Amino acid sequence: TVTGTTTTVSDTGSKTTTTVTGTTTTVSDTGSKTTTVSDTGTTTSVSNTGTTTTVSNSGTTTTTVSDTGTTTSVSNSGTTTTTVSDTGTSSTTSSTTTVTGPVSPITFTTTSNPYGTLPPIDVETTTTANGYLYSYGTIKTQVGYYFSHDNGIRANGDKGGFSPEQVVELNIYDVFEDGSIKLREAVDMSKVNFGLATPEKVYNTRTHADNVKTTIDDFKYDVPVMYENTPLVNTKGEALTVPVYIGVKGDINLDNKVNAVDASTALSYYASYQTNGNSKTSVICQNDKNGLTVTSPTDDLDQLAAFLGDVDTNEYDPANWKTTKADRTVNAVDASYILSFYAEKQTTKDKTANDIWNDVLGSARFGTK
């Protein structure tokens, strides 16, 4: 409470004294307002001590302006929020800022196909454009199944090995000095390859010891993909790969050996799906406890077991690498061929497994029965 006194002296000598009482009220919420009452009226003043704060985050500037002492800072993915407060009342306005500028440089590892690359060849490419820095890719793939004896060349001279069709979709992105990234329009899927990698070479990069329990690593591999003579990589420079399963022909129980146990496993699987409405996908093919454990009839490992056990199917069939259990027939005929293979292997020491399969299957191995 403020007490003020006004004294008036007239020119005739009389004096009048008046006392006026005024009130000062301070309100503090998000600012300050002061109201002063005097003998000549009421005065209201609002402070103006706004604060400006700048926060930088990933190239985004957020500015908050406060009037009457209120400061709010917000920084989130390029969004600018301004809050104005006047004696307790606030309003918020939002706007979105798009951040532009060069991309951060990426350090690529020199990733090559560990199984061998193709010799350099002349290729037509869009990467000769001015300002080109590097490329990266994205792919969609499907699983492939292969034999450990597949060296990439069929007996009749045709090309074997991994199928480029495992790469279902390929996108290549070219990055330039100005930060722009362009999707390469002319991607030729016929140029997808695996260098000098073959199922035989990949399988032999790991040791498959006798009398040792097999693991998933005996059968599953990730093979780098190439485009022409260039390894495909992601944004981190890591190789883009396709998942492949490789095993020994006839090895249904997945122990890396072909013997009477595999014949027995084939008969067991055959009997199981025969008694289950001929539903091959509802029962497990590899059910031998001494082989690698398979937990589901739809598991990739069980698909591999059926692939390896279907010994009388044409190895050269272009779709054999992707044919699933549902479209295979593993039965007593396969069991008989497996037993014949095992018997000849026991008595013949100077023939390779590949030669023995030729003896046992004859032309049936390649689609003629």
Side-chain angles (χ1 to χ4, degrees), residues 175-209:
V175 182
F176 295 84
E177 291 176 351
D178 62 0
S180 62
I181 301 174
K182 298 179 180 178
L183 175 65
R184 191 179 299 186
E185 296 181 359
V187 173
D188 184 351
M189 294 300 287
S190 70
K191 295 179 180 180
V192 172
N193 68 90
F194 303 94
L196 298 179
T198 66
E200 180 184 55
K201 186 180 293 186
V202 171
Y203 182 80
N204 290 332
T205 59
R206 297 178 187 169
T207 301
H208 307 281

mmCIF file of all heavy atoms in Angstrom, residues 175-209:
data_model
loop_
_atom_site.group_PDB
_atom_site.id
_atom_site.type_symbol
_atom_site.label_atom_id
_atom_site.label_comp_id
_atom_site.label_asym_id
_atom_site.label_seq_id
_atom_site.Cartn_x
_atom_site.Cartn_y
_atom_site.Cartn_z
ATOM 1 N N VAL A 175 25.449 -41.853 -55.486
ATOM 2 C CA VAL A 175 25.598 -40.679 -54.627
ATOM 3 C C VAL A 175 26.588 -39.717 -55.269
ATOM 4 O O VAL A 175 27.650 -40.134 -55.752
ATOM 5 C CB VAL A 175 26.094 -41.085 -53.222
ATOM 6 C CG1 VAL A 175 26.210 -39.864 -52.318
ATOM 7 C CG2 VAL A 175 25.148 -42.119 -52.613
ATOM 8 N N PHE A 176 26.260 -38.403 -55.265
ATOM 9 C CA PHE A 176 27.073 -37.403 -55.925
ATOM 10 C C PHE A 176 27.613 -36.377 -54.924
ATOM 11 O O PHE A 176 27.142 -36.282 -53.781
ATOM 12 C CB PHE A 176 26.254 -36.705 -57.021
ATOM 13 C CG PHE A 176 25.868 -37.628 -58.146
ATOM 14 C CD1 PHE A 176 24.736 -38.429 -58.036
ATOM 15 C CD2 PHE A 176 26.651 -37.716 -59.282
ATOM 16 C CE1 PHE A 176 24.388 -39.297 -59.063
ATOM 17 C CE2 PHE A 176 26.312 -38.583 -60.312
ATOM 18 C CZ PHE A 176 25.189 -39.380 -60.205
ATOM 19 N N GLU A 177 28.608 -35.603 -55.385
ATOM 20 C CA GLU A 177 29.314 -34.661 -54.511
ATOM 21 C C GLU A 177 28.393 -33.609 -53.911
ATOM 22 O O GLU A 177 28.650 -33.114 -52.813
ATOM 23 C CB GLU A 177 30.434 -33.971 -55.300
ATOM 24 C CG GLU A 177 31.581 -34.911 -55.659
ATOM 25 C CD GLU A 177 32.624 -34.234 -56.527
ATOM 26 O OE1 GLU A 177 32.358 -33.092 -56.993
ATOM 27 O OE2 GLU A 177 33.698 -34.825 -56.745
ATOM 28 N N ASP A 178 27.334 -33.225 -54.630
ATOM 29 C CA ASP A 178 26.444 -32.187 -54.115
ATOM 30 C C ASP A 178 25.442 -32.727 -53.092
ATOM 31 O O ASP A 178 24.552 -32.012 -52.630
ATOM 32 C CB ASP A 178 25.693 -31.499 -55.255
ATOM 33 C CG ASP A 178 24.791 -32.464 -56.041
ATOM 34 O OD1 ASP A 178 24.761 -33.664 -55.690
ATOM 35 O OD2 ASP A 178 24.130 -32.003 -56.986
ATOM 36 N N GLY A 179 25.575 -34.004 -52.747
ATOM 37 C CA GLY A 179 24.676 -34.587 -51.761
ATOM 38 C C GLY A 179 23.464 -35.269 -52.343
ATOM 39 O O GLY A 179 22.700 -35.906 -51.624
ATOM 40 N N SER A 180 23.259 -35.142 -53.633
ATOM 41 C CA SER A 180 22.092 -35.766 -54.246
ATOM 42 C C SER A 180 22.294 -37.271 -54.374
ATOM 43 O O SER A 180 23.415 -37.764 -54.525
ATOM 44 C CB SER A 180 21.822 -35.155 -55.616
ATOM 45 O OG SER A 180 22.909 -35.373 -56.492
ATOM 46 N N ILE A 181 21.196 -37.999 -54.287
ATOM 47 C CA ILE A 181 21.199 -39.456 -54.427
ATOM 48 C C ILE A 181 20.186 -39.809 -55.501
ATOM 49 O O ILE A 181 19.015 -39.435 -55.414
ATOM 50 C CB ILE A 181 20.827 -40.143 -53.106
ATOM 51 C CG1 ILE A 181 21.813 -39.751 -52.003
ATOM 52 C CG2 ILE A 181 20.799 -41.658 -53.263
ATOM 53 C CD1 ILE A 181 21.446 -40.277 -50.634
ATOM 54 N N LYS A 182 20.635 -40.517 -56.514
ATOM 55 C CA LYS A 182 19.769 -40.844 -57.646
ATOM 56 C C LYS A 182 19.609 -42.355 -57.781
ATOM 57 O O LYS A 182 20.581 -43.096 -57.731
ATOM 58 C CB LYS A 182 20.341 -40.263 -58.935
ATOM 59 C CG LYS A 182 20.449 -38.742 -58.932
ATOM 60 C CD LYS A 182 21.044 -38.230 -60.231
ATOM 61 C CE LYS A 182 21.162 -36.706 -60.218
ATOM 62 N NZ LYS A 182 21.782 -36.195 -61.466
ATOM 63 N N LEU A 183 18.368 -42.768 -57.929
ATOM 64 C CA LEU A 183 18.087 -44.177 -58.183
ATOM 65 C C LEU A 183 18.472 -44.490 -59.625
ATOM 66 O O LEU A 183 17.997 -43.850 -60.556
ATOM 67 C CB LEU A 183 16.601 -44.470 -57.969
ATOM 68 C CG LEU A 183 16.136 -45.886 -58.319
ATOM 69 C CD1 LEU A 183 16.786 -46.912 -57.408
ATOM 70 C CD2 LEU A 183 14.612 -45.970 -58.209
ATOM 71 N N ARG A 184 19.343 -45.473 -59.788
ATOM 72 C CA ARG A 184 19.769 -45.833 -61.133
ATOM 73 C C ARG A 184 18.608 -46.509 -61.864
ATOM 74 O O ARG A 184 18.072 -47.511 -61.404
ATOM 75 C CB ARG A 184 20.985 -46.751 -61.074
ATOM 76 C CG ARG A 184 21.649 -46.942 -62.431
ATOM 77 C CD ARG A 184 22.876 -47.833 -62.338
ATOM 78 N NE ARG A 184 23.905 -47.290 -61.462
ATOM 79 C CZ ARG A 184 25.108 -47.841 -61.311
ATOM 80 N NH1 ARG A 184 25.403 -48.959 -61.968
ATOM 81 N NH2 ARG A 184 25.991 -47.305 -60.494
ATOM 82 N N GLU A 185 18.255 -45.959 -62.983
ATOM 83 C CA GLU A 185 17.086 -46.450 -63.704
ATOM 84 C C GLU A 185 17.382 -47.719 -64.501
ATOM 85 O O GLU A 185 16.560 -48.622 -64.584
ATOM 86 C CB GLU A 185 16.562 -45.358 -64.642
ATOM 87 C CG GLU A 185 16.042 -44.116 -63.892
ATOM 88 C CD GLU A 185 15.510 -43.057 -64.836
ATOM 89 O OE1 GLU A 185 15.576 -43.295 -66.065
ATOM 90 O OE2 GLU A 185 15.043 -42.015 -64.363
ATOM 91 N N ALA A 186 18.546 -47.794 -65.080
ATOM 92 C CA ALA A 186 18.862 -48.933 -65.955
ATOM 93 C C ALA A 186 19.608 -50.011 -65.185
ATOM 94 O O ALA A 186 20.830 -50.099 -65.229
ATOM 95 C CB ALA A 186 19.684 -48.456 -67.141
ATOM 96 N N VAL A 187 18.867 -50.818 -64.446
ATOM 97 C CA VAL A 187 19.457 -51.955 -63.734
ATOM 98 C C VAL A 187 19.087 -53.224 -64.503
ATOM 99 O O VAL A 187 17.910 -53.545 -64.654
ATOM 100 C CB VAL A 187 18.955 -52.044 -62.281
ATOM 101 C CG1 VAL A 187 19.447 -53.321 -61.626
ATOM 102 C CG2 VAL A 187 19.424 -50.828 -61.493
ATOM 103 N N ASP A 188 20.099 -53.907 -64.983
ATOM 104 C CA ASP A 188 19.901 -55.114 -65.792
ATOM 105 C C ASP A 188 20.094 -56.334 -64.906
ATOM 106 O O ASP A 188 21.213 -56.646 -64.503
ATOM 107 C CB ASP A 188 20.908 -55.116 -66.949
ATOM 108 C CG ASP A 188 20.710 -56.282 -67.905
ATOM 109 O OD1 ASP A 188 19.912 -57.189 -67.586
ATOM 110 O OD2 ASP A 188 21.373 -56.285 -68.964
ATOM 111 N N MET A 189 19.009 -57.034 -64.579
ATOM 112 C CA MET A 189 19.087 -58.168 -63.662
ATOM 113 C C MET A 189 19.933 -59.316 -64.228
ATOM 114 O O MET A 189 20.399 -60.162 -63.472
ATOM 115 C CB MET A 189 17.681 -58.663 -63.336
ATOM 116 C CG MET A 189 16.840 -57.663 -62.559
ATOM 117 S SD MET A 189 17.558 -57.202 -60.963
ATOM 118 C CE MET A 189 17.275 -58.695 -60.011
ATOM 119 N N SER A 190 20.155 -59.325 -65.535
ATOM 120 C CA SER A 190 20.996 -60.375 -66.116
ATOM 121 C C SER A 190 22.464 -60.192 -65.746
ATOM 122 O O SER A 190 23.277 -61.099 -65.950
ATOM 123 C CB SER A 190 20.841 -60.391 -67.641
ATOM 124 O OG SER A 190 21.424 -59.242 -68.233
ATOM 125 N N LYS A 191 22.811 -59.022 -65.219
ATOM 126 C CA LYS A 191 24.191 -58.756 -64.820
ATOM 127 C C LYS A 191 24.475 -59.153 -63.371
ATOM 128 O O LYS A 191 25.595 -59.000 -62.893
ATOM 129 C CB LYS A 191 24.516 -57.272 -65.032
ATOM 130 C CG LYS A 191 24.472 -56.861 -66.502
ATOM 131 C CD LYS A 191 24.773 -55.383 -66.681
ATOM 132 C CE LYS A 191 24.726 -55.003 -68.164
ATOM 133 N NZ LYS A 191 25.009 -53.564 -68.379
ATOM 134 N N VAL A 192 23.464 -59.646 -62.683
ATOM 135 C CA VAL A 192 23.659 -60.131 -61.306
ATOM 136 C C VAL A 192 24.424 -61.445 -61.356
ATOM 137 O O VAL A 192 24.103 -62.343 -62.134
ATOM 138 C CB VAL A 192 22.304 -60.333 -60.605
ATOM 139 C CG1 VAL A 192 22.494 -61.014 -59.254
ATOM 140 C CG2 VAL A 192 21.594 -58.999 -60.436
ATOM 141 N N ASN A 193 25.451 -61.558 -60.527
ATOM 142 C CA ASN A 193 26.245 -62.785 -60.493
ATOM 143 C C ASN A 193 26.908 -62.935 -59.128
ATOM 144 O O ASN A 193 26.734 -62.091 -58.241
ATOM 145 C CB ASN A 193 27.286 -62.776 -61.618
ATOM 146 C CG ASN A 193 28.355 -61.720 -61.408
ATOM 147 O OD1 ASN A 193 29.383 -61.965 -60.792
ATOM 148 N ND2 ASN A 193 28.106 -60.507 -61.919
ATOM 149 N N PHE A 194 27.697 -63.989 -58.967
ATOM 150 C CA PHE A 194 28.344 -64.281 -57.687
ATOM 151 C C PHE A 194 29.855 -64.454 -57.860
ATOM 152 O O PHE A 194 30.508 -65.176 -57.104
ATOM 153 C CB PHE A 194 27.726 -65.533 -57.063
ATOM 154 C CG PHE A 194 26.237 -65.408 -56.878
ATOM 155 C CD1 PHE A 194 25.355 -65.885 -57.837
ATOM 156 C CD2 PHE A 194 25.715 -64.763 -55.768
ATOM 157 C CE1 PHE A 194 23.987 -65.749 -57.693
ATOM 158 C CE2 PHE A 194 24.348 -64.605 -55.608
ATOM 159 C CZ PHE A 194 23.478 -65.097 -56.576
ATOM 160 N N GLY A 195 30.388 -63.768 -58.867
ATOM 161 C CA GLY A 195 31.818 -63.861 -59.103
ATOM 162 C C GLY A 195 32.212 -65.286 -59.442
ATOM 163 O O GLY A 195 31.554 -65.966 -60.224
ATOM 164 N N LEU A 196 33.281 -65.751 -58.835
ATOM 165 C CA LEU A 196 33.756 -67.111 -59.061
ATOM 166 C C LEU A 196 33.255 -68.077 -57.988
ATOM 167 O O LEU A 196 33.689 -69.229 -57.926
ATOM 168 C CB LEU A 196 35.292 -67.137 -59.096
ATOM 169 C CG LEU A 196 35.925 -66.299 -60.221
ATOM 170 C CD1 LEU A 196 37.442 -66.387 -60.149
ATOM 171 C CD2 LEU A 196 35.430 -66.755 -61.576
ATOM 172 N N ALA A 197 32.336 -67.610 -57.155
ATOM 173 C CA ALA A 197 31.811 -68.467 -56.086
ATOM 174 C C ALA A 197 30.948 -69.575 -56.671
ATOM 175 O O ALA A 197 30.130 -69.336 -57.560
ATOM 176 C CB ALA A 197 31.003 -67.638 -55.096
ATOM 177 N N THR A 198 31.125 -70.785 -56.178
ATOM 178 C CA THR A 198 30.290 -71.930 -56.542
ATOM 179 C C THR A 198 29.873 -72.639 -55.261
ATOM 180 O O THR A 198 30.526 -72.475 -54.220
ATOM 181 C CB THR A 198 31.054 -72.928 -57.427
ATOM 182 O OG1 THR A 198 32.128 -73.513 -56.659
ATOM 183 C CG2 THR A 198 31.618 -72.256 -58.673
ATOM 184 N N PRO A 199 28.816 -73.432 -55.295
ATOM 185 C CA PRO A 199 28.429 -74.181 -54.093
ATOM 186 C C PRO A 199 29.562 -75.051 -53.556
ATOM 187 O O PRO A 199 29.780 -75.127 -52.344
ATOM 188 C CB PRO A 199 27.251 -75.027 -54.581
ATOM 189 C CG PRO A 199 26.636 -74.189 -55.660
ATOM 190 C CD PRO A 199 27.804 -73.560 -56.362
ATOM 191 N N GLU A 200 30.304 -75.694 -54.451
ATOM 192 C CA GLU A 200 31.419 -76.534 -54.010
ATOM 193 C C GLU A 200 32.480 -75.713 -53.285
ATOM 194 O O GLU A 200 32.948 -76.083 -52.202
ATOM 195 C CB GLU A 200 32.052 -77.230 -55.216
ATOM 196 C CG GLU A 200 33.227 -78.143 -54.863
ATOM 197 C CD GLU A 200 33.886 -78.729 -56.085
ATOM 198 O OE1 GLU A 200 34.291 -77.943 -56.981
ATOM 199 O OE2 GLU A 200 33.991 -79.968 -56.156
ATOM 200 N N LYS A 201 32.857 -74.581 -53.881
ATOM 201 C CA LYS A 201 33.900 -73.745 -53.283
ATOM 202 C C LYS A 201 33.443 -73.157 -51.944
ATOM 203 O O LYS A 201 34.197 -73.118 -50.973
ATOM 204 C CB LYS A 201 34.279 -72.622 -54.261
ATOM 205 C CG LYS A 201 35.454 -71.783 -53.810
ATOM 206 C CD LYS A 201 35.780 -70.693 -54.833
ATOM 207 C CE LYS A 201 36.289 -71.274 -56.126
ATOM 208 N NZ LYS A 201 36.729 -70.215 -57.072
ATOM 209 N N VAL A 202 32.194 -72.683 -51.900
ATOM 210 C CA VAL A 202 31.674 -72.101 -50.663
ATOM 211 C C VAL A 202 31.587 -73.155 -49.557
ATOM 212 O O VAL A 202 31.983 -72.917 -48.412
ATOM 213 C CB VAL A 202 30.293 -71.452 -50.918
ATOM 214 C CG1 VAL A 202 29.642 -71.038 -49.613
ATOM 215 C CG2 VAL A 202 30.438 -70.250 -51.845
ATOM 216 N N TYR A 203 31.088 -74.325 -49.899
ATOM 217 C CA TYR A 203 30.961 -75.418 -48.920
ATOM 218 C C TYR A 203 32.322 -75.789 -48.342
ATOM 219 O O TYR A 203 32.458 -76.048 -47.134
ATOM 220 C CB TYR A 203 30.329 -76.625 -49.602
ATOM 221 C CG TYR A 203 30.086 -77.810 -48.691
ATOM 222 C CD1 TYR A 203 28.987 -77.853 -47.832
ATOM 223 C CD2 TYR A 203 30.948 -78.908 -48.709
ATOM 224 C CE1 TYR A 203 28.755 -78.947 -47.010
ATOM 225 C CE2 TYR A 203 30.731 -80.009 -47.887
ATOM 226 C CZ TYR A 203 29.631 -80.020 -47.045
ATOM 227 O OH TYR A 203 29.406 -81.105 -46.235
ATOM 228 N N ASN A 204 33.350 -75.786 -49.160
ATOM 229 C CA ASN A 204 34.685 -76.195 -48.722
ATOM 230 C C ASN A 204 35.453 -75.108 -47.983
ATOM 231 O O ASN A 204 36.584 -75.339 -47.550
ATOM 232 C CB ASN A 204 35.507 -76.685 -49.916
ATOM 233 C CG ASN A 204 35.012 -78.017 -50.456
ATOM 234 O OD1 ASN A 204 34.448 -78.822 -49.721
ATOM 235 N ND2 ASN A 204 35.208 -78.241 -51.749
ATOM 236 N N THR A 205 34.848 -73.914 -47.827
ATOM 237 C CA THR A 205 35.509 -72.889 -47.021
ATOM 238 C C THR A 205 35.416 -73.210 -45.536
ATOM 239 O O THR A 205 36.103 -72.592 -44.720
ATOM 240 C CB THR A 205 34.885 -71.503 -47.262
ATOM 241 O OG1 THR A 205 33.491 -71.540 -46.942
ATOM 242 C CG2 THR A 205 35.084 -71.057 -48.700
ATOM 243 N N ARG A 206 34.582 -74.173 -45.182
ATOM 244 C CA ARG A 206 34.450 -74.582 -43.785
ATOM 245 C C ARG A 206 34.854 -76.047 -43.628
ATOM 246 O O ARG A 206 34.739 -76.839 -44.566
ATOM 247 C CB ARG A 206 33.014 -74.378 -43.293
ATOM 248 C CG ARG A 206 32.593 -72.915 -43.322
ATOM 249 C CD ARG A 206 31.162 -72.718 -42.879
ATOM 250 N NE ARG A 206 30.731 -71.341 -43.068
ATOM 251 C CZ ARG A 206 29.478 -70.922 -42.965
ATOM 252 N NH1 ARG A 206 28.513 -71.776 -42.670
ATOM 253 N NH2 ARG A 206 29.183 -69.651 -43.163
ATOM 254 N N THR A 207 35.314 -76.368 -42.441
ATOM 255 C CA THR A 207 35.733 -77.739 -42.159
ATOM 256 C C THR A 207 34.529 -78.557 -41.706
ATOM 257 O O THR A 207 33.815 -78.167 -40.786
ATOM 258 C CB THR A 207 36.807 -77.765 -41.055
ATOM 259 O OG1 THR A 207 37.931 -76.987 -41.494
ATOM 260 C CG2 THR A 207 37.246 -79.178 -40.761
ATOM 261 N N HIS A 208 34.301 -79.672 -42.370
ATOM 262 C CA HIS A 208 33.192 -80.572 -42.035
ATOM 263 C C HIS A 208 33.789 -81.872 -41.505
ATOM 264 O O HIS A 208 34.056 -82.806 -42.260
ATOM 265 C CB HIS A 208 32.318 -80.808 -43.262
ATOM 266 C CG HIS A 208 31.846 -79.541 -43.911
ATOM 267 N ND1 HIS A 208 30.800 -78.801 -43.421
ATOM 268 C CD2 HIS A 208 32.304 -78.863 -45.000
ATOM 269 C CE1 HIS A 208 30.610 -77.735 -44.187
ATOM 270 N NE2 HIS A 208 31.523 -77.749 -45.142
ATOM 271 N N ALA A 209 34.021 -81.885 -40.217
ATOM 272 C CA ALA A 209 34.743 -83.007 -39.608
ATOM 273 C C ALA A 209 33.850 -84.228 -39.444
ATOM 274 O O ALA A 209 32.640 -84.121 -39.192
ATOM 275 C CB ALA A 209 35.302 -82.589 -38.251
#
